Amino acid sequence: MSNTIFAKIAAGEIPADIVYEDEEIVAFRDVNPQAPVHILIIPRLPIATLNDLTAEHAPLVGRMLHLAAELAKQEGIAEAGYRTVFNCNAAGGQTVYHLHLHLIGGRPLQWPPG
Ligand code: 5GP
């Protein structure tokens, strides 16, 4: 079991600005947005990091990425472009140890990232 803040959001124990949810996935706006659109897409399954994925999780992660593209269209940023990011572990910038996909857009984004 996971007791991260994201597990609590998925369970409805902590409020969030939820933009999509189904039996496997929840998407909600980041509390500290880095761009006009900043949505976090999480599995309900408490997978800690990208390193913990198994082959069985591949369809789930595929659905998360497909949802990112659908939400980008819904948010009106698909044509201009956007970024999707999984941060993994400390050097990757991960701070919440429940797998999450960032969907970031609505302004020009710099590359390389910091
Ligand atoms: P990470 O650094 O782990 O890749 O991303 C974690 C993200 O979660 C950060 O962008 C941070 O702003 C966001 N975050 C942390 N706590 C909360 C929360 O309680 N609610 C929401 N909506 N976002 C959060």
Side-chain angles (χ1 to χ4, degrees), residues 5-6 28-32 40 87 93-96 100 102:
I5 194 104
F6 290 177
F28 51 92
R29 294 190 194 279
D30 197 294
V31 77
N32 183 25
L40 301 170
N87 292 327
Q94 185 171 6
T95 59
V96 179
H100 51 282
H102 294 259

Side-chain angles (χ1 to χ4, degrees), residues 9-88:
I9 287 172
E13 294 166 11
I14 287 179
D17 185 354
I18 291 173
V19 295
Y20 176 86
E21 62 182 322
D22 64 28
E23 66 284 353
E24 284 190 322
I25 294 175
V26 183
F28 51 92
R29 294 190 194 279
D30 197 294
V31 77
N32 183 25
Q34 300 303 308
V37 175
H38 190 168
I39 291 171
L40 301 170
I41 298 168
I42 69 167
R44 289 192 188 274
L45 268 179
I47 302 163
T49 80
L50 214 54
N51 289 338
D52 299 302
L53 290 181
T54 66
E56 286 71 36
H57 296 130
L60 173 65
V61 175
R63 287 200 62 228
M64 291 168 67
L65 283 161
H66 181 240
L67 178 61
E70 290 299 314
L71 290 175
K73 290 176 197 157
Q74 194 174 296
E75 296 286 321
I77 59 171
E79 283 302 314
Y82 55 90
R83 188 167 296 165
T84 52
V85 177
F86 285 103
N87 292 327
C88 184

